[in-house]
Amino acid sequence: MKTFIAAFFGALVSPGRTLKGLSEARGRIRKAAAAVLFAGFLYALTSLGLGAAGAVPLWPVMGGLGTDNYYFWQMVIVLPGAVLAWALAAALLHGMTRSGGFTRALAVAGPALSAPLFVAWLPAAVQAVFMALGMGQREWAAILSEPGPWQTLYIAGYGLAALMALRAFAAAAGVLRKRPGAAGLVSGSLTAIVVIAIFLALVR
């Protein structure tokens, strides 16, 4: 448990040092998988809570998808989706860095993905708690639709998650290349952009 906590939250605080240690650690794939599955479980649990409370997405969803039962389907697909995003991120990092093998890419991509996912999960978790306590969808939407501190804080949470994704994946690419530099920054940033795009397309 202590090792898992260090891996999961270490990528939030000090991604470069944490990912470098994990890239060579014993059981590195298991630790990376645990981080990804934990983040996916948080989203699945929150989706269940939002769906049970009658919430619908505040932002538009992809064409062809209904809003009334969106959180049910999100609960179903978010965990396997997180695993697929992990594999895709690792494949992109491996393809662009060509350093250390695919297992090392998996080892660093897991925490690099789960750390910003955790930050992006916090606004949804707050919404789920308030709605579980009796707040209605209209009241929640009204709080966020008016410019002010709550709207700013809500948007800032997702902005911080995006910045952390860029930082974490740049650090992951630097670890795989075994040295920081512009090439690692570009590789990590491109990987982060793909992950962010998937998140924005599917997660509400």
Side-chain angles (χ1 to χ4, degrees):
M1 178 63 72
K2 183 178 180 181
T3 304
F4 165 73
I5 293 174
F8 189 85
F9 292 101
L12 284 170
V13 179
S14 180
R17 183 174 60 184
T18 300
L19 297 180
K20 184 177 180 180
L22 286 172
S23 68
E24 303 294 346
R26 177 182 296 180
R28 57 192 179 185
I29 303 301
R30 175 176 52 81
K31 294 172 184 176
V36 173
L37 291 174
F38 178 67
F41 173 76
L42 291 177
Y43 277 92
L45 186 63
T46 302
S47 299
L48 173 62
L50 289 171
V56 295
L58 294 175
W59 314 113
V61 300
M62 294 180 65
L65 298 177
T67 57
D68 290 341
N69 58 355
Y70 191 89
Y71 285 113
F72 169 79
W73 292 112
Q74 181 169 290
M75 177 187 68
V76 172
I77 68 172
V78 72
L79 192 55
V83 174
L84 289 175
W86 172 35
L88 176 60
L92 290 171
L93 287 172
H94 176 62
M96 288 187 284
T97 60
R98 294 291 183 186
S99 177
F102 186 60
T103 56
R104 288 187 79 237
L106 281 170
V108 298
L113 173 66
S114 62
L117 279 181
F118 176 77
V119 176
W121 165 78
L122 293 174
V126 172
Q127 179 186 358
V129 169
F130 276 113
M131 294 193 71
L133 293 175
M135 179 179 285
Q137 173 82 20
R138 289 180 179 234
E139 187 178 356
W140 177 256
I143 290 173
L144 297 180
S145 62
E146 293 293 332
W150 295 114
Q151 184 189 80
T152 301
L153 188 62
Y154 185 80
I155 295 173
Y158 288 111
L160 177 62
L163 291 175
M164 294 194 72
L166 291 168
R167 180 188 179 203
F169 280 109
V175 168
L176 294 176
R177 288 183 175 273
K178 298 185 179 179
R179 63 182 182 276
L185 180 61
V186 171
S187 301
S189 297
L190 289 175
T191 303
I193 289 170
V194 171
V195 170
I196 291 169
I198 294 172
F199 179 90
L200 291 176
L202 298 176
V203 179
R204 295 292 181 269

